[in-house]
């Protein structure tokens, strides 16, 4: 059996076995040739439909939040950006070619360091990759807070690592303040994205 037909197993690294090649349908956009803001509009439209059709009435959704694509940009042959959803916040990578197969995992190098992505697919997007930042989203009181956190995450991801400073004491101030306090404490690919925000529980939410 051709191993490339199987979804990747957890822990797969970037390579030929989890790559989906150019699986993008003709209805979807070409990430490299189309402006990033056009991709943001496409992604928002797709996930607004998902919110209305698949997630309607689901208890995991925060009613204070809505679908929003934040900070989409071209980098290294792909489009990157943060997607705010009522039920989660995702870092998306939409590559021109070589996207992961559905469920496969790989490590991608960003200016901040390595980040784990998993392959996903939507008909009007094609094959893309996502990294879960937060889920569920009940710690965010409103859209402005979620947007501010998404923007700060992108600032941190596109910056180069700085020497770690001594851990700062818990000080409240909400999720954005917690992220800024702790972002330099967790430079590994999972710790930065997940641990920086969660470390201040419960006073940061």
């Amino acid at each position: 059996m051709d191993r490339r037909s199987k979804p990747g197993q957890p822990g797969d690294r970037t390579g030929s076995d989890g790559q989906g090649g150019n699986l993008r349908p003709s209805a979807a956009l070409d990430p490299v040739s189309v402006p990033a803001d056009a991709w943001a509009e496409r992604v928002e439209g797709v996930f607004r439909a998902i919110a209305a059709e698949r997630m309607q009435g689901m208890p995991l959704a925060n009613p204070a939040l809505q679908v929003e694509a934040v900070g989409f940009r071209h980098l290294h042959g792909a489009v990157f950006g943060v997607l705010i959803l009522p039920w989660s916040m995702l870092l998306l990578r939409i590559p021109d070619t070589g996207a992961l197969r559905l469920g496969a995992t790989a490590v991608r190098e960003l200016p901040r360091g390595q980040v784990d992505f998993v392959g996903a697919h939507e008909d009007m997007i094609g094959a893309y990759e996502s990294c879960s930042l937060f889920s569920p989203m009940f710690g965010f009181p409103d859209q402005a807070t979620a947007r501010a956190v998404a923007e700060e995450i992108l600032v941190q991801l596109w910056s180069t690592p700085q020497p770690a400073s001594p851990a700062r004491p818990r000080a409240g101030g909400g999720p954005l303040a917690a992220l800024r306090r702790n972002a330099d404490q967790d430079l590994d690919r999972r710790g930065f994205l997940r641990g920086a925000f969660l470390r201040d529980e419960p006073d940061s939410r």
Side-chain angles (χ1 to χ4, degrees), residues 7 28 34-35 45 63 72 82 89 112 114 125 130 138 156 159 164 177 182 190 199:
V34 175
F72 274 47
V82 171
M89 185 184 296
R112 177 79 186 202
Q114 295 181 328
I125 298 174
S130 70
F138 296 113
Q156 297 290 345
S159 66
N182 294 317
R190 292 186 181 87
R199 177 177 296 175

Side-chain angles (χ1 to χ4, degrees), residues 162-204:
Q162 301 297 319
S165 60
R168 302 181 180 99
R170 294 180 178 178
L176 181 59
L179 177 63
R180 287 173 172 167
R181 280 197 300 275
N182 294 317
D184 59 354
Q185 304 303 316
D186 297 279
L187 298 181
D188 65 278
R189 60 184 184 267
R190 292 186 181 87
F192 169 68
L193 293 173
R194 296 187 176 91
F197 178 72
L198 297 176
R199 177 177 296 175
D200 271 357
E201 284 189 311
D203 64 332
S204 66

Side-chain angles (χ1 to χ4, degrees), residues 4-20:
R4 290 174 296 179
S5 65
K6 297 179 179 179
Q9 299 300 315
D12 281 356
R13 312 293 285 191
T14 305
S16 60
D17 284 346
Q19 300 293 340

Side-chain angles (χ1 to χ4, degrees), residues 89-171:
M89 185 184 296
L90 307 172
L91 175 65
L92 298 190
R93 177 180 183 269
I94 309 172
D96 185 37
T97 59
L100 293 169
R101 294 184 183 278
L102 183 66
T105 61
V107 176
R108 305 302 191 187
E109 195 73 35
L110 298 182
R112 177 79 186 202
Q114 295 181 328
V115 176
D116 289 334
F117 284 88
V118 62
H121 186 279
E122 289 293 337
D123 288 343
M124 294 303 294
I125 298 174
Y128 67 97
E129 300 168 11
S130 70
C131 172
S132 177
L133 302 175
F134 305 113
S135 180
M137 296 287 284
F138 296 113
F140 295 87
D142 51 45
Q143 189 74 15
T145 301
R147 184 185 307 113
V149 169
E151 291 170 346
E152 180 67 18
I153 285 172
L154 290 172
V155 168
Q156 297 290 345
L157 284 174
W158 305 145
S159 66
T160 55
Q162 301 297 319
S165 60
R168 302 181 180 99
R170 294 180 178 178

